Amino acid sequence: MQFFLISDNMDTCIGMRMAGIDGVVVHERAETETALLNAAKREDIGIVLMTEKLVKLCTPLVDDLKLNRSRPLIVEIPDRHGNGRIKDTIARYVHDAIGIRIDR
């Protein structure tokens, strides 16, 4: 299984490519959803890395894929535009998935 990156900036894409992770750079909601759905269809992709900004653009689709499919695993990553609030995203995901609220 491979990693795949969906990013909103070239710097993140270049950095991940240097680590052997292929990806695409997108900016609009429709592009992001298309890239995510295409990645989800590929049998060789096991983990999709997405920047915070793009996850916010298509949160309903990301949540649907996380809750209703076992593959790919979608991991939100911070980038230079992100606010670093990954903990809040994880807490919301746990609450949505199993109904447990995690207090900070």
Side-chain angles (χ1 to χ4, degrees):
M1 291 287 177
Q2 296 180 2
F3 283 83
F4 188 78
L5 172 71
I6 303 174
S7 177
D8 62 309
N9 68 66
M10 189 55 83
D11 294 340
T12 302
C13 192
I14 290 170
M16 291 296 186
R17 191 161 289 153
M18 290 174 68
I21 298 172
D22 195 21
V24 295
V25 176
V26 296
H27 300 286
E28 304 295 326
R29 180 180 178 167
E31 297 178 296
T32 305
E33 290 178 348
T34 299
L36 182 55
L37 290 171
N38 287 339
K41 289 178 188 174
R42 289 181 47 184
E43 293 293 324
D44 61 328
I45 294 176
I47 300 174
V48 174
L49 305 172
M50 290 183 70
T51 55
E52 287 179 89
K53 183 177 177 182
L54 296 180
V55 169
K56 289 178 186 169
L57 280 180
C58 59
T59 300
L61 176 59
V62 170
D63 289 346
D64 180 57
L65 291 173
K66 282 183 175 183
L67 293 172
N68 296 310
R69 292 193 185 182
S70 61
R71 191 198 52 77
L73 174 64
I74 300 171
V75 179
E76 184 176 349
I77 61 170
D79 63 9
R80 66 182 180 179
H81 302 294
N83 62 12
R85 298 189 57 104
I86 297 295
K87 181 180 176 185
D88 294 338
T89 302
I90 293 170
R92 182 177 51 84
Y93 177 63
V94 169
H95 181 266
D96 291 348
I98 58 176
I100 296 174
R101 183 169 168 237
I102 299 173
D103 290 325
R104 295 169 207 113

